[in-house]
Amino acid sequence: LKPFLSPLSAASAHSARSAVASGRPRRDMTGSAPAEEAVVIEEVAAGDFKGEASEPSTSGSPVSAMQASKEKAKELSYYYAQSEGTKGFPKDAVVRQEDPLFRADGLGPKKLELASEVNLDNVRWIDTFAFCDDGAVVKLYVDFPEVIKGADIDCQFDRFSVQLIVRRPAPQLTYGVKIKEREGWILEHERNDGFAHEILPEKSKYRVSSSGQKITITLAKKDDKESWHELRKKDIRSTIPR
């Protein structure tokens, strides 16, 4: 018996072949595309898989695109890390034991604690210093009564404040510089003390002079076009005549 195709069946087969050749989705006789096409997954043995494409290697035999790239570019290949075996870590590599999410938790930068807490009651505060408006920054110059090279220095900036702690190892003496607004304010006109204008804490910094007896604190202005005629904000109540 010979297979028989009606004219309608032959037209359907021709249409299906044309759709496959052109990459168009095959439709049924009603003109609508099938709601879902079957996907066939075939398991291939590891030795039979040669990669998505085969390219000639340096030896002339066909290999996978990944192997050809590794042979051609060596350690510069995109697939260099996917080599067989492990080389291990260098001897000087530092492997952290703590969970990386302990610090990288998405909650912003964290303050690193000092080796030991500073008793602020024993700090010798320095209240006399000079400052100058230097364009986009304000520079604060602090002179110390002795050389502070090798001291442990901690400097914390905030929007309207700075606190600098200098701890000398021997003799054990701690100096400090603090400009900070009073607590309990909400609106700007309620703020007393602190800097006259707002700064950018993340861009502010300090530097110890080469002589080791002076520290320059650089305050990054939030508004770099704003002139600082005063370093600290005055208490508005002190300007009211009595």
Side-chain angles (χ1 to χ4, degrees), residues 2 25 29 53 59 62 80 98 157 160 176 180 197 201:
K2 295 183 179 180
M29 295 308 298
S59 60
Y80 178 70
E98 63 183 14
F157 296 96
F160 298 100
K180 184 175 178 60
H197 306 285

Side-chain angles (χ1 to χ4, degrees), residues 135-187:
V137 299
V138 174
K139 293 186 178 180
L140 184 64
Y141 304 98
V142 185
D143 289 309
F144 292 85
E146 58 182 320
V147 176
I148 58 172
K149 276 188 175 180
D152 185 7
I153 301 177
D154 175 57
C155 190
Q156 301 176 27
F157 296 96
D158 207 342
R159 293 168 53 206
F160 298 100
S161 65
V162 62
Q163 178 173 292
L164 177 77
I165 301 296
V166 179
R167 297 188 300 176
R168 297 186 71 254
Q172 294 184 354
L173 187 61
T174 303
Y175 294 101
V177 176
K178 180 169 66 174
I179 300 177
K180 184 175 178 60
E181 73 276 20
R182 298 176 188 174
E183 297 180 357
W185 66 278
I186 299 177
L187 303 177

Side-chain angles (χ1 to χ4, degrees), residues 41-63:
I41 301 177
E42 182 180 359
E43 184 176 356
V44 180
D48 297 337
F49 180 71
K50 302 299 182 180
E52 295 183 356
S54 296
E55 298 183 5
S57 66
T58 54
S59 60
S61 57
V63 295

Side-chain angles (χ1 to χ4, degrees), residues 8-105:
L8 181 60
S9 300
S12 300
H14 176 72
S15 175
R17 286 194 299 271
S18 301
V20 172
S22 61
R24 299 193 307 271
R26 189 168 56 185
R27 300 174 180 272
D28 57 17
M29 295 308 298
T30 62
S32 59
E36 187 175 326
E37 296 209 6
V39 177
V40 178
I41 301 177
E42 182 180 359
E43 184 176 356
V44 180
D48 297 337
F49 180 71
K50 302 299 182 180
E52 295 183 356
S54 296
E55 298 183 5
S57 66
T58 54
S59 60
S61 57
V63 295
S64 66
M66 181 177 70
Q67 185 62 30
S69 174
K70 290 164 62 177
E71 291 183 0
K72 181 179 180 180
K74 305 298 182 183
E75 67 274 4
L76 300 179
S77 170
Y78 178 80
Y79 305 101
Y80 178 70
Q82 303 178 13
S83 56
E84 296 180 358
T86 57
K87 297 182 179 180
F89 295 106
K91 294 182 179 180
D92 56 347
V94 178
V95 180
R96 302 187 183 278
Q97 301 298 328
E98 63 183 14
D99 185 355
L101 294 180
F102 172 74
R103 298 190 183 280
D105 55 3

Side-chain angles (χ1 to χ4, degrees), residues 138-142 144 205-209 214-218:
V138 174
K139 293 186 178 180
L140 184 64
Y141 304 98
V142 185
F144 292 85
K205 57 187 178 180
Y206 74 91
R207 182 180 65 86
V208 181
S209 66
K214 177 185 293 186
I215 288 182
T216 302
I217 301 175
T218 303

